[in-house]
Amino acid sequence: MDTRFLESFIAIVERGSIADAARHLGLTPAAVAQRIKALEDEIKQPLLVRAGRNVTPTAAGLGIIEKSRLLIRGVEDLKALATHNEFAGELKIGAISTALTGLLPFMLRKFFADYPKIDLHVTPGQSIKLYHDVVEAQLDGALIVEPPFAIPKTCGWKRLLSEPLVVLAPESCTETNPLKIIKENMFLRYDRTQWGGRVADTFLRENRIFPTQQLELDSLEAIALMVSQKVGVSLVPDWLPPWPEGLKIRKIPLPSPAPCRNLGFLS
């Protein structure tokens, strides 16, 4: 059995369409479809069901997907052994937006120098989605906000950075008390469905602060830009630069000890 057929099958299941799988593999949709046809002929079972542009695995397809992943990973391990124990193969990781620009660039220079035979793929996303992708083995690892619950024993976690929460206010704001700033101004809330947003929300509730809220956003960069334009104030983690250029804002620290958004690597 040609392992490239299995790679194509896995790509279609993970991406939900032949067209997306073809783009990922650098092939034409017709070539990918031919591989699946050859695999189905060899297994003598239909593996995929096509409904318009979407493709889902049949019962037989679901039955072999995990074994297929293990087989492909085993082949990659054999390739690594053949290169005198050098690390080789494909590595798929995810990263939240601020880690993608703040943490990852500093890591990649050393990574590519130490592991030149690794084919690295980076997927941007939100912590919750990337967490589930790692747990379900869709990704090998991810730079995410630390989950507000225990990490499964099947996964590893290494904390890399703690970002204290700060109040963002327009440059023209003269008030120095961060809690007073939140109470007396329109508040731009860091999305409470995000794990970092929950840290900010917990701080507000513990201090019995119920600000006048107009917007709830999941983009820290967008919040900073809106504060700069005097739309309101916000409570966000002091994330690693780069921040958007040309901001006219003030960062006012919270009373010590300030709560933090913790970033780390889940694998």
Side-chain angles (χ1 to χ4, degrees):
M1 179 182 294
D2 192 327
T3 57
R4 293 176 300 175
F5 298 168
L6 288 176
E7 288 175 347
S8 297
F9 170 64
I10 294 168
I12 293 172
V13 172
E14 291 179 348
R15 285 161 176 77
S17 79
I18 291 176
D20 286 348
R23 281 191 291 270
H24 170 71
L25 296 168
L27 300 169
T28 65
V32 173
Q34 288 175 356
R35 286 185 176 185
I36 297 303
K37 177 65 166 58
L39 182 62
E40 290 176 331
D41 288 345
E42 189 162 353
I43 293 178
K44 295 181 171 37
Q45 291 285 343
L47 300 175
L48 298 169
V49 176
R50 298 160 181 81
R53 296 182 179 180
N54 296 324
V55 179
T56 57
T58 63
L62 288 172
I64 70 166
I65 184 65
E66 289 306 321
K67 291 287 187 182
S68 298
R69 290 188 177 116
L70 289 173
L71 181 58
I72 294 300
R73 187 156 294 186
V75 170
E76 291 171 354
D77 291 343
L78 286 174
K79 290 178 181 177
L81 289 172
T83 55
H84 307 290
N85 293 318
E86 292 182 25
F87 288 101
E90 183 181 63
L91 182 66
K92 296 183 290 184
I93 68 170
I96 60 172
S97 61
T98 54
L100 199 61
T101 57
L103 275 174
L104 199 59
F106 296 98
M107 297 176 170
L108 290 184
R109 182 182 300 175
K110 178 172 174 53
F111 178 86
F112 288 132
D114 291 347
Y115 309 110
K117 296 183 183 296
I118 294 288
D119 184 13
L120 182 66
H121 298 263
V122 181
T123 300
Q126 297 176 341
S127 292
I128 297 172
K129 173 65 165 59
L130 296 175
Y131 168 85
H132 287 293
D133 285 347
V134 173
V135 171
E136 295 167 7
Q138 305 297 315
L139 293 173
D140 299 303
L143 288 163
I144 61 173
V145 176
E146 187 169 354
F149 48 78
I151 303 293
K153 293 182 179 180
T154 54
C155 294
W157 171 259
K158 182 174 180 58
R159 185 182 294 180
L160 301 175
L161 180 68
S162 291
E163 302 169 332
L165 296 188
V166 295
V167 171
L168 291 190
E171 196 174 56
S172 58
C173 177
T174 58
E175 178 60 59
T176 59
N177 185 320
L179 305 186
K180 190 174 180 181
I181 291 172
I182 296 173
K183 291 176 181 177
E184 296 182 352
N185 292 274
M186 189 65 66
F187 188 66
L188 309 178
R189 190 183 291 274
Y190 182 16
D191 187 358
R192 286 166 289 186
T193 65
Q194 305 303 314
W195 291 335
R198 293 182 194 178
V199 176
D201 185 60
T202 298
F203 173 83
L204 293 173
R205 287 188 286 104
E206 288 178 348
N207 287 273
R208 300 189 63 79
I209 299 173
F210 306 100
T212 304
Q213 174 188 323
Q214 184 154 352
L215 288 174
E216 187 162 359
L217 301 154
D218 65 5
S219 168
L220 293 174
E221 293 88 349
I223 290 174
L225 287 165
M226 290 187 182
V227 171
S228 182
Q229 291 297 316
K230 303 180 181 180
V231 176
V233 301
S234 191
L235 180 63
V236 298
D238 189 9
W239 74 88
L240 280 181
W243 285 49
E245 293 185 1
L247 293 176
K248 296 181 179 180
I249 59 173
R250 293 176 57 214
K251 296 181 188 177
I252 300 96
L254 295 176
S256 183
C260 294
R261 181 182 80 159
N262 299 314
L263 300 187
F265 190 73
L266 179 74
S267 61

